Amino acid sequence: MALKTVHVSDVPHLDQVPENATIPLYSDRFSKVNEGLATTFKSSKFLVIGHRGNGMNMLHSSDRRMKAIKENSILSFNTAGKFSVDFVEFDVQVVFEYAKDRPIIFSTFQPDAAQLIRKLQSTYPVFFLTNGGHEIYSDVRRNSLDEAIKLCLASGLQGIVSEVKAVFRNPGAIAKIKESNLSLLTYGQLNNVREAVYMQHVMGIDGVIVDLVQEITVAVAGFIKPEAEGEEETSTEGDEQIQGMMTRPKFSQRELSFLLKLIPELIQP
């Protein structure tokens, strides 16, 4: 099965979509080289994507946020739509009939499926999902970011969705992906940690698939919003939690360089 994402930041209730809700989305947020032909996928902003809606369920987790709302449900999609999330991810079948002007991304872990989806249509971009060597498979195309790049270039795919640990272990792959004119999104538990998301923003990654939609959208809004010169932060007791989530991590250039070198060692299994 292939997965896709659909833009929701302007559609707070996905089961009640206005007819004109998505008319400006491409022109405002995405570049299209040729009208009606998905040759590239570029976003004008750092993306936050709700995993299976407002986040996947982990029933064994002690964190109630991971099991409060059923994944892949209208409630989950509508809950995500209350925040500044850019896309939600969910399983699809009925696209050409119902997508209308919504921007769609197809993605799959299966290389052959990705190639087939690309051959069957040229309207929507196709991304290859990979854990980049975090697990090893008999199909070598699934075992590294380098192989993912080769597959995308050979098959005319538009981007890669990688397990975030694979990117942190091999940060040099980001430059290769960008040089290949491919987009890069990530998924994984580390994407629920705002510092890890901030690092990806700094490293040039295009977006993250997350489970903690509210927390991460607030955090991203905080660290990508330009700070007014001389403006002092003020907060009330009631705003303390939100202000905490919006605080931008403070790293010097030297610290960033050190972290980029250290991260691959920190996340070794």
Side-chain angles (χ1 to χ4, degrees):
M1 284 292 292
L3 300 177
K4 67 104 174 180
T5 55
V6 59
H7 212 289
V8 298
S9 61
D10 291 342
V11 188
H13 298 286
L14 298 186
D15 52 342
Q16 301 174 17
V17 182
E19 286 296 324
N20 62 347
T22 58
I23 291 176
L25 293 183
Y26 270 120
S27 60
D28 289 348
R29 295 176 175 86
F30 305 101
S31 64
K32 294 180 71 180
V33 175
N34 296 312
E35 186 65 28
L37 180 65
T39 55
T40 62
F41 176 86
K42 296 295 180 183
S43 173
S44 61
K45 57 168 290 193
F46 184 77
L47 303 176
V48 179
I49 301 166
H51 190 197
R52 303 181 188 177
N54 192 55
M56 69 174 287
N57 291 155
M58 294 183 65
L59 299 181
H60 61 277
S61 174
S62 59
D63 189 340
R64 64 177 182 83
R65 296 172 298 178
M66 304 297 288
K67 51 190 176 183
I69 298 174
K70 182 175 176 56
E71 63 188 33
N72 282 324
S73 67
I74 291 294
L75 176 60
S76 185
F77 304 148
N78 285 341
T79 300
K82 294 178 181 178
F83 310 108
S84 298
V85 65
D86 296 290
F87 288 81
V88 292
E89 176 203 43
F90 58 98
D91 297 336
V92 297
Q93 293 186 14
V94 295
V95 171
F96 288 103
E97 185 174 356
Y98 295 109
K100 297 184 180 179
D101 294 324
R102 297 182 182 91
I104 305 291
I105 305 171
F106 286 110
S107 63
T108 175
F109 282 103
Q110 299 296 332
D112 295 329
Q115 292 174 325
L116 181 60
I117 295 168
R118 189 68 181 94
K119 289 179 179 179
L120 288 174
Q121 59 85 44
S122 59
T123 302
Y124 303 115
V126 181
F127 282 35
F128 177 52
L129 273 161
T130 178
N131 58 33
H134 186 56
E135 297 179 44
I136 302 300
Y137 300 90
S138 57
D139 188 336
V140 295
R141 296 174 295 179
R142 302 180 64 183
N143 289 338
S144 71
L145 287 173
D146 286 337
E147 288 294 332
I149 295 171
K150 291 180 185 177
L151 175 70
C152 289
L153 294 179
S155 307
L157 308 185
Q158 287 80 17
I160 295 170
V161 185
S162 173
E163 216 291 345
V164 61
K165 289 182 180 179
V167 177
F168 280 154
R169 287 174 183 161
N170 184 16
I174 299 175
K176 294 181 182 178
I177 291 170
K178 295 298 181 181
E179 290 168 2
S180 301
N181 201 29
L182 298 170
S183 294
L184 175 61
L185 306 175
T186 66
Y187 71 93
Q189 291 298 307
L190 280 177
N191 283 355
N192 295 321
V193 179
R194 71 183 185 92
E195 288 80 5
V197 172
Y198 178 74
M199 287 301 299
Q200 294 177 71
H201 172 62
V202 171
M203 294 164 73
I205 291 169
D206 295 301
V208 291
I209 299 174
V210 306
D211 295 302
L212 304 183
V213 168
Q214 179 181 7
E215 289 81 354
I216 299 303
T217 54
V218 170
V220 168
F223 66 63
I224 68 174
K225 181 179 179 181
E227 293 179 350
E229 186 174 354
E231 182 179 342
E232 296 184 2
E233 293 185 1
T234 60
S235 63
T236 64
E237 184 177 352
D239 294 331
E240 185 175 340
Q241 183 178 3
I242 293 179
Q243 290 292 339
M245 288 190 291
M246 291 187 67
T247 301
R248 182 181 306 185
K250 303 294 185 181
F251 296 122
S252 68
Q253 193 60 43
R254 182 176 181 180
E255 288 171 329
L256 284 174
S257 178
F258 174 74
L259 284 172
L260 289 175
K261 294 177 181 177
L262 183 62
I263 283 174
E265 299 297 327
L266 292 176
I267 62 176
Q268 290 294 335

